[in-house]
Amino acid sequence: GLTGCENFLDSQNLTKKDTSNYPQTPDDAEQLLTGVYSMLGRCEPLGFTYFISELMSDNCFGGGDQADRSCKAMDQFKKSSEDMFRWSWRARYMGIYRSNFLMEQLPAIAWDSQEQRDKIEGEARLLRAFFYFDLSIMFGEVPLVTTPEAVNIPKSPADETYAFIASDLLAAIEKIPAVDVPSMPRSENGRMTRWAAEALLARVWLFYTGYYNKDSLPTADGGAVTRKQVQDYV
């Protein structure tokens, strides 16, 4: 009886979402972008650069109960395990993967306008730059993954990674609309703005030129971001 059926038992999956049918619309792109933003919410002490930096400074002590070995160890520049910073590494690369996937899918989406596409792309680039900057602060030289493919590559030189970060931020500044924050829709509260991109570029410039003793911040096209440009942005 089963071998005699051709399509009677077949059915169409009406809810499936995978790379064969998703994303297709601007709403799909917004959902993907929300997925990138969600990686910012992973703020456990071992997964958030700010907490790690504060614990390793003189600003606070590693507290908690007796089971909180990681925070106490970090406070004293000790190891609690071989992979104690795994969550910070994993969360940032999850955000980078989601950004890369969204960026690759942009041409396949039926956009209502070029401005709509530019805004989504600008925020995705800004988030990707943020994740890479966080990784570079934490780990120094890191693998530079620019596509959503599953790859296992060696770490890239710091100059190459910072050039990629700078280029993403410059593109974000160009693409994200210059809208005053008070006039933004309430549904976009907390979203990245052009002003956030300019501020982050200044922070990246200060860290890179200070830590690596450089005069300017390189860009992926062989150019550079100068002190004057950064001063104009801030």
Side-chain angles (χ1 to χ4, degrees), residues 13 15-24 28 101 105 108:
N13 189 333
T15 61
K16 180 183 74 170
K17 287 185 177 181
D18 59 25
T19 54
S20 69
N21 66 350
Y22 183 86
Q24 296 181 0
D28 293 342
F101 179 78
Q105 299 301 317

Side-chain angles (χ1 to χ4, degrees), residues 3 64 118 122 138 155 196 208 224 227:
T3 58
D118 286 348
M138 279 285 298
K155 62 185 180 181
Y208 175 79
R227 178 188 297 269

Side-chain angles (χ1 to χ4, degrees), residues 55 72-73 78 81 90 131 133 137 142 149 155 163 170 192 205 215:
L55 279 170
K72 291 182 173 65
K78 297 178 180 178
S81 67
R90 184 171 182 266
F131 292 135
F133 184 46
I137 291 175
V142 298
E149 302 301 322
K155 62 185 180 181
L170 289 172
M192 296 290 196
W205 192 93
D215 295 326

Side-chain angles (χ1 to χ4, degrees), residues 108-142:
I109 297 172
W111 298 99
D112 297 329
S113 66
Q114 183 64 40
E115 182 180 5
Q116 184 183 49
R117 170 178 170 157
D118 286 348
K119 184 174 184 296
I120 296 290
E121 180 181 348
E123 290 183 43
R125 286 183 178 274
L126 175 47
L127 286 163
R128 184 169 64 178
F130 177 84
F131 292 135
Y132 267 122
F133 184 46
D134 245 14
L135 283 168
S136 298
I137 291 175
M138 279 285 298
F139 301 103
E141 294 183 342
V142 298

